[in-house]
Amino acid sequence: YNWFNPGNTLNCNHPVVMELVLDSLRHWVKEYHIDGFRFDLASVLCRGPDGSPLDAPPLIREIAKDSVLSRCKIIAEPWDCGGLYLVGRFPNWDRWAEWNGKYRDDLRRFIKGDPGMKGVLATRVSGSADLYQVNQRKPHHGVNFIIAHDGFTLCDLVSYNLKHNDANGEGGRDGCNDNFSWNCGVEGETNDSNVLALRSRQMKNFHVALMISQGTPMMLMGDEYGHTRYGNNNSYGHDTCINNFQWGQLAERRYGHFRFFSEMIKFRQNHPILKRDRFLSKNDVTWHEDCWDNLESKFLAFTIHDHNSGGDIYLAFNAHDYSVDAVIPPAPQQKHWNRVVDTNLESPNDIAPEGVPLTGSGYRIAPFSSILLKASP
């Protein structure tokens, strides 16, 4: 069988093969002090000798119960090349984390302006309780991501509608066709300042959403400076600039794009309410929404409550192609709102870590942009 794609697949649930795998993993932990493992196309480990899915695959269970491996980070890419898609259903014994492929697809679709995505956006940024709130699982068992090592980079996600894989020598047959990308008006490289500004906003919107979502965030190295593979979404075979880290570009963008990404990561680290160890209750979040069933609505605003210090966080995402005048709720008692993020503003005003005091009870949120407010004394 070839459920793995690169070649014939081992029967990893055979006792002899299973022991080989377990011994190898233990060796990496004991001798090389590896902190954990992410298993590529891990659903293949959930198949029997004939390829049929197993409800309780022995290898997956042994890794979760092993005295050494159970203390490691163990993460599954919960699908394989044979179509066994187990996002939210991967056999886990409350130990395995999963790449949340539904988070990736749903966030991509909302941010680019697809209709009918507001409700699922709320579910995803809240930690995907529909997938992971089972038994003793926690929000951190869901690994949230927009971009991974394969597929489009973040820059290409907002620059290309189609894959451009001719350089791979496979006649364009390789690589995923369902990228949920949007080129913002021009396919590929451009000097159009309006298109470039929109692409910049969209990249920041994605990053804001990722950093405020409950769960474990994952980024692709290079997205922090806007790396491009020029539309190639299956570039593994190239030892060229499309795969090599561009240190010069990082230096050029250190005080713009890179600064925004860095400061948003720091903001998440400094605000525990964005990384709770339990799923949100109705007291933890207020949705400023009364038209969930309106499929044409592409605006979502909500407040995440800090019950300890009153440092609430207000967020709004506008995926419409027009501005939205949002009514900002009152800040908690003895607090006032400070604007931390407005992705429509140019650097360095797009993110102000100390906050800019907000005046009035309304805020005009530009097309394809997002804002973040923090309640402060």
Side-chain angles (χ1 to χ4, degrees):
Y1 293 95
N2 187 15
W3 307 110
F4 191 64
N5 200 39
N8 291 332
T9 304
L10 284 171
N11 177 15
C12 291
N13 289 302
H14 185 284
V16 175
V17 180
M18 181 169 65
E19 198 56 40
L20 172 66
V21 173
L22 293 170
D23 283 346
S24 299
L25 295 174
R26 293 189 199 105
H27 177 78
W28 279 98
V29 173
K30 292 178 178 179
E31 300 299 326
Y32 299 101
H33 306 287
I34 295 299
D35 293 320
F37 303 91
R38 173 264 187 186
F39 293 78
D40 191 75
L41 301 173
S43 291
V44 77
L45 305 176
C46 301
R47 293 181 181 271
D50 62 353
S52 59
L54 301 173
D55 292 332
L59 176 60
I60 300 300
R61 182 188 183 281
E62 289 303 311
I63 292 174
K65 301 294 185 180
D66 187 85
S67 60
V68 173
L69 302 177
S70 63
R71 298 196 297 270
C72 298
K73 296 177 176 66
I74 45 178
I75 305 169
E77 182 184 39
W79 51 82
D80 65 19
C81 294
L84 186 55
Y85 188 80
L86 296 174
V87 173
R89 299 183 295 111
F90 192 85
N92 56 79
W93 285 274
D94 296 330
R95 280 289 300 116
W96 283 78
E98 302 176 20
W99 273 21
N100 189 347
K102 291 187 178 180
Y103 180 98
R104 173 199 60 204
D105 295 346
D106 291 341
L107 266 289
R108 288 185 179 195
R109 292 187 62 194
F110 177 88
I111 296 295
K112 80 183 185 73
D114 281 3
M117 299 304 298
K118 182 168 58 178
V120 289
L121 173 70
T123 299
R124 297 294 160 246
V125 299
S126 298
S128 295
D130 62 325
L131 301 175
Y132 302 115
Q133 195 172 11
V134 179
N135 298 329
Q136 301 301 313
R137 302 196 87 184
K138 306 294 184 182
H140 67 254
H141 284 115
V143 178
N144 298 325
F145 67 106
I146 310 293
I147 304 297
H149 60 279
D150 50 7
F152 280 150
T153 64
L154 186 61
C155 178
D156 289 356
L157 185 68
V158 300
S159 303
Y160 294 89
N161 285 349
L162 304 171
K163 65 184 183 183
H164 295 262
N165 293 2
D166 291 343
N168 299 345
E170 298 185 41
R173 295 184 300 275
D174 65 313
C176 181
N177 294 314
D178 299 321
N179 298 291
F180 301 116
S181 61
W182 177 41
N183 64 19
C184 296
V186 176
E187 185 75 357
E189 298 292 295
T190 182
N191 293 319
D192 188 312
S193 59
N194 291 326
V195 171
L196 293 175
L198 176 54
R199 290 177 179 177
S200 176
R201 286 206 305 280
Q202 289 290 75
M203 285 191 283
K204 290 187 286 188
N205 293 334
F206 277 120
H207 190 56
V208 170
L210 181 63
M211 288 298 112
I212 62 88
S213 294
Q214 304 293 325
T216 302
M218 182 182 81
M219 287 178 59
L220 174 68
M221 182 176 69
D223 282 345
E224 72 273 23
Y225 69 80
H227 184 84
T228 180
R229 296 183 185 134
Y230 302 100
N232 193 323
N233 74 350
N234 193 36
S235 67
Y236 70 95
H238 297 276
D239 185 11
T240 67
C241 65
I242 67 173
N243 282 334
N244 298 336
F245 194 88
Q246 301 299 304
W247 293 100
Q249 292 182 23
L250 174 63
E252 292 170 5
R253 300 164 187 174
R254 181 170 297 278
Y255 301 107
H257 181 97
F258 176 84
R259 174 182 172 273
F260 184 92
F261 273 55
S262 177
E263 292 295 344
M264 270 307 306
I265 293 172
K266 293 176 186 176
F267 187 88
R268 178 185 176 86
Q269 291 174 328
N270 292 332
H271 293 83
I273 64 172
L274 298 178
K275 44 185 179 179
R276 287 185 167 98
D277 62 358
R278 57 177 174 77
F279 289 94
L280 298 182
S281 71
K282 64 180 181 180
N283 295 321
D284 295 324
V285 59
T286 297
W287 303 101
H288 308 297
E289 182 60 55
D290 57 8
C291 56
W292 291 106
D293 297 328
N294 182 357
L295 299 182
E296 297 305 312
S297 177
K298 305 173 185 179
F299 177 85
L300 181 67
F302 54 98
T303 299
I304 304 173
H305 299 295
D306 184 346
H307 300 299
N308 294 321
S309 66
D312 290 9
I313 295 173
Y314 171 92
L315 291 138
F317 294 90
N318 180 19
H320 286 290
D321 58 3
Y322 53 82
S323 296
V324 171
D325 291 318
V327 176
I328 306 300
Q333 190 172 14
Q334 297 183 329
K335 306 278 186 179
H336 65 270
W337 291 116
N338 281 315
R339 188 198 74 230
V340 177
V341 169
D342 183 341
T343 60
N344 185 54
L345 300 178
E346 294 185 3
S347 182
N349 297 318
D350 51 359
I351 184 165
E354 301 304 318
V356 176
L358 192 71
T359 58
S361 59
Y363 198 101
R364 174 158 288 189
I365 304 175
F368 296 109
S369 68
S370 51
I371 68 168
L372 185 157
L373 311 177
K374 181 186 176 184
S376 303

